[in-house]
């Protein structure tokens, strides 16, 4: 049996057979290495797959992986941000058109929303139920200047923000959520914890303390949360399931 003591051998590169033999001696998936490629190689307990990849390919391949990983993550983020932007912009445009069509006719406006919801749902799916179409109208009325919207925020963010009573609250949470990259759940948590009111009620030192506390407790939103947002799935007319068939994505 191979020794558990790491033996740094300068300039020595183990063959694939030697590494395989070393790994095969430990059935629990973890291994004490005897060999390493250089002074920075991992020595000690490591996962089987990661150890094999590092020993077999070395630092150059690892760097290639990291570069590719960044490319994929950034591209994925831009793609999902584009979906969000187009959806929010479309809903603003829909709300604007409804307000223009309704004019001062409140009763007509109610029937109009029902009519539009029924027809849009038949053609584009459940993202256009009466409640959501009503929120589109309110969205335009709440944010009549489209350029004031923050492209980082989703429709779920805006539905939460629209429920706030004052324009000052809405602007504060809109900017905080965008600047700090809050998910919609994190935004909801901060609204329910009266983050805005706590900041207003304290001295500047206390405000700094509150901001520090929030940043420490609230992780930044993950990109993959966007595609799991049910409103995004409805907008794209995709099933609410993580496993999509290729034909659904065409």
């Amino acid at each position: 049996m191979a020794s558990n003591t790491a033996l740094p051998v300068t300039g020595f590169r183990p063959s694939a057979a030697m590494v395989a033999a070393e790994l095969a001696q430990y059935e629990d998936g973890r291994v004490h290495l005897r060999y390493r490629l250089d002074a920075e190689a991992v020595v000690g307990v490591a996962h089987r797959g990661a150890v094999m990849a590092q020993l077999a390919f070395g630092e150059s391949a690892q760097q290639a992986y990291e570069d590719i990983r960044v490319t994929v993550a950034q591209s994925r983020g831009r793609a999902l941000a584009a979906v969000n932007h187009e959806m929010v912009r479309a809903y603003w445009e829909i709300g604007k058109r409804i307000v223009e069509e309704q004019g001062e006719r409140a009763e007509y406006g109610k029937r109009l929303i029902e009519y539009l919801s029924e027809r849009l749902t038949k053609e584009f799916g459940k993202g256009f139920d009466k409640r959501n179409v009503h929120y589109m109208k309110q969205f335009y009325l709440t944010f009549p200047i489209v350029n004031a919207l923050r492209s980082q925020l989703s429709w779920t963010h805006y539905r939460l923000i629209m429920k706030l009573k004052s324009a000052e609250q809405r602007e504060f949470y809109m900017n905080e959520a965008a600047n700090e990259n809050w998910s919609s759940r994190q935004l909801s948590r901060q609204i329910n914890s009266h983050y805005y009111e706590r900041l207003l009620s304290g001295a500047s030192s206390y405000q700094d303390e509150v901001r520090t506390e929030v940043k420490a407790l609230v992780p930044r939103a993950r990109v993959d949360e966007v595609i799991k947002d049910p409103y995004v799935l409805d907008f794209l007319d995709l099933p609410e399931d993580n496993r999509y068939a290729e034909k659904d994505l065409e």
Side-chain angles (χ1 to χ4, degrees):
M1 179 177 294
S3 169
N4 287 343
T5 303
L7 299 177
V9 182
T10 304
F12 175 74
R13 291 181 179 275
S15 67
M18 294 172 69
V19 173
E22 183 85 2
L23 293 174
Q25 296 180 49
Y26 297 89
E27 296 302 324
D28 62 353
R30 304 178 74 86
V31 61
H32 293 275
L33 298 179
R34 290 195 304 143
Y35 307 116
R36 59 186 182 183
L37 298 179
D38 51 49
E40 295 182 355
V42 176
V43 178
V45 179
H47 284 90
R48 183 190 301 264
V51 171
M52 180 65 83
Q54 184 171 357
L55 289 174
F57 297 104
E59 291 184 2
S60 179
Q62 292 297 313
Q63 185 59 54
Y65 165 77
E66 291 298 332
D67 293 343
I68 293 170
R69 177 183 175 278
V70 169
T71 298
V72 172
Q74 291 178 344
S75 298
R76 188 183 186 194
R78 288 193 294 268
L80 295 179
V83 172
N84 246 330
H85 174 73
E86 291 301 324
M87 180 177 70
V88 169
R89 183 63 180 258
Y91 287 175
W92 186 90
E93 294 286 353
I94 292 169
K96 180 175 183 289
R97 187 65 184 88
I98 291 173
V99 170
E100 291 172 346
E101 175 64 20
Q102 175 183 326
E104 300 298 324
R105 300 169 292 177
E107 190 59 35
Y108 172 70
K110 294 179 181 178
R111 298 197 305 272
L112 177 64
I113 287 178
E114 292 179 358
Y115 168 77
L116 293 173
S117 173
E118 182 178 353
R119 294 202 62 179
L120 290 169
T121 298
K122 286 181 179 179
E123 186 169 356
F124 297 107
K126 65 181 181 180
F128 296 91
D129 58 54
K130 288 190 293 184
R131 184 178 179 84
N132 211 30
V133 173
H134 172 74
Y135 269 113
M136 294 173 200
K137 172 186 170 183
Q138 291 302 119
F139 185 42
Y140 171 74
L141 292 173
T142 305
F143 299 101
I145 303 175
V146 69
N147 291 335
L149 300 175
R150 301 296 299 269
S151 61
Q152 302 94 327
L153 302 186
S154 68
W155 180 238
T156 309
H157 285 97
Y158 281 113
R159 284 192 54 157
L160 291 168
I161 292 170
M162 279 190 285
K163 296 177 182 180
L164 298 171
K165 294 180 179 180
S166 72
E168 292 77 14
Q169 284 179 304
R170 291 192 293 269
E171 183 176 4
F172 171 82
Y173 282 110
M174 180 174 67
N175 291 328
E176 284 290 305
N179 294 338
E180 298 300 327
N181 195 27
W182 290 347
S183 68
S184 56
R185 289 185 180 182
Q186 291 158 357
L187 171 61
S188 177
R189 176 180 178 181
Q190 298 315 316
I191 292 174
N192 292 332
S193 70
H194 305 289
Y195 178 40
Y196 174 73
E197 290 79 4
R198 284 191 291 152
L199 285 179
L200 287 183
S201 65
S204 58
S205 59
Y206 176 71
Q207 293 176 359
D208 292 339
E209 180 181 335
V210 171
R211 286 186 181 277
T212 301
E213 171 194 336
V214 168
K215 287 184 178 181
L217 294 177
V218 179
R220 297 176 72 82
R222 292 172 48 182
V223 171
D224 61 359
E225 291 177 352
V226 177
I227 200 61
K228 295 178 182 178
D229 188 321
Y231 292 115
V232 173
L233 298 176
D234 288 346
F235 180 71
L236 297 175
D237 197 23
L238 290 171
E240 193 170 338
D241 191 313
N242 289 333
R243 300 178 298 276
Y244 301 116
E246 183 177 350
K247 62 183 178 63
D248 293 328
L249 299 174
E250 292 178 347

